[in-house]
């Protein structure tokens, strides 16, 4: 018997094998239902075949949570990407009434399509902003980070976020970071994904390694920050993995005060919300 499910791709299992994904499975429902209120999926087993639009995928294995599976798509890389572009949809949000199109979640400075959810801090930037920075001799460099999902809809599974995320840091970006550090300038990350990539590639002396890597584990209170001095980020809520990352920059007292002020002034949280700049507190020394 056929049943309708929703598959949310959540991570690359191997960047060198772009047909294998970590995925979260939901039962019936749509974006008007909050993720945490979505029905559980039907029971899945290894070997189950899924028809996803024009694509076929096989459940390689069900992991240690009924919503979490490893999927293998059938076909070539080109065919898989074409099928995802044609049939796939961006992750929707209950607080956004209109269905989102792909261009709605493609940030203005985006390049390779490797993220599973929009790295939304970049929505604060446009090319005029970058031009103004250049006139003021503010450097700007890019990297690639396969940002994963921000919520699974299950509190126990959310505790595992973020999943492992591949990144690539170009040589030119490493050179710009090194030059800024030599001058005593601050390194400001645009979004938590950039923090994860830079800190995962950091050497003990604060220099950054170029090339490919995998960002693993959480950045949280007590995690030493070796590279990033400040963070432009969205408004996150306590309990979220993104909020936990903020605790590496500031103590709980400051974050609680900021949360209260943001709520009182009706700042918008979640994706497509407002942004804030968080400087690393002086007591959170680079190590």
């Amino acid at each position: 018997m056929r049943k309708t499910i929703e598959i949310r791709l959540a991570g690359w299992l191997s960047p060198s094998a772009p047909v294998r994904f970590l995925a979260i499975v939901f039962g019936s429902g749509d974006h008007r239902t909050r993720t945490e209120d979505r029905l559980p999926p039907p029971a899945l087993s290894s070997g189950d075949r899924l028809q996803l639009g024009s694509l076929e995928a096989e459940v390689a294995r069900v992991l240690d949570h009924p919503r979490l599976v490893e999927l293998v798509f059938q076909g070539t890389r080109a065919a898989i990407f074409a099928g995802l572009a044609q049939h796939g949809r961006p992750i929707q949000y209950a607080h956004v009434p209109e269905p989102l199109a792909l261009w709605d979640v493609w940030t203005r400075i985006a390049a390779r399509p490797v993220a599973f959810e929009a790295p939304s801090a970049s929505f604060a930037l446009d090319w005029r902003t970058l031009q103004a920075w250049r006139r003021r001799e503010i450097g700007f460099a890019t990297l690639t980070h396969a940002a994963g999902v921000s919520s699974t809809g299950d509190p126990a599974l959310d505790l595992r976020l973020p999943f492992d995320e591949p990144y690539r840091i170009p040589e030119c970006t490493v050179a710009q970071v090194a030059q800024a550090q030599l001058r005593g300038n601050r390194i400001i990350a645009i979004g938590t994904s950039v923090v994860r990539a830079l800190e995962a590639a950091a050497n003990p002396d604060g220099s950054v390694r170029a090339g490919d890597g995998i960002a693993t584990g959480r950045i949280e209170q007590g995690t030493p920050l070796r590279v990033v001095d400040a963070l432009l980020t969205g408004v996150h809520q306590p309990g979220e993995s993104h909020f936990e990352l903020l605790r590496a920059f500031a103590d709980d007292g400051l974050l609680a005060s900021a949360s209260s002020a943001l709520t009182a002034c009706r700042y918008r949280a979640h994706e497509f919300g407002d942004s804030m700049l968080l400087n690393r507190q002086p007591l959170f020394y680079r190590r």
Side-chain angles (χ1 to χ4, degrees), residues 222-240:
T223 301
L225 297 173
R226 297 185 170 91
V227 180
V228 181
D229 299 297
L231 167 65
L232 178 69
T233 184
V235 177
H236 304 298
Q237 298 174 325
E240 298 174 345

Side-chain angles (χ1 to χ4, degrees), residues 2 19 22 31 36 53 57 78 84 101 130 135 146 158 169 180 203 219 227 238 261 269-270 274 279 284:
R2 294 197 172 198
V19 300
L22 192 67
H31 71 278
E36 54 266 37
L84 291 175
L130 299 184
R135 287 198 297 265
D158 279 351
I169 302 180
N203 295 309
I219 295 177
V227 180
H270 305 291
D274 292 305
N279 291 302
F284 284 65

Side-chain angles (χ1 to χ4, degrees), residues 170-201:
E171 292 279 1
C172 59
T173 296
V174 168
Q176 285 185 259
V177 169
Q179 186 178 51
Q181 291 172 330
L182 186 62
R183 292 176 176 176
N185 295 337
R186 292 189 304 164
I187 306 299
I188 302 175
I190 309 299
T192 57
S193 294
V194 176
V195 177
R196 289 201 79 208
L198 288 176
E199 295 297 335

Side-chain angles (χ1 to χ4, degrees), residues 31-32 92-100:
H31 71 278
R32 296 174 182 82
Q92 305 285 327
Y93 306 104
H95 65 282
V96 179
E98 303 83 8
L100 296 172

Side-chain angles (χ1 to χ4, degrees), residues 47 57 107-108 110 115 123 127 139 195 197 206 241 253 272 283:
T107 65
R108 293 176 180 87
F123 286 125
W127 293 109
V195 177
S241 63
F272 305 105
L283 60 88

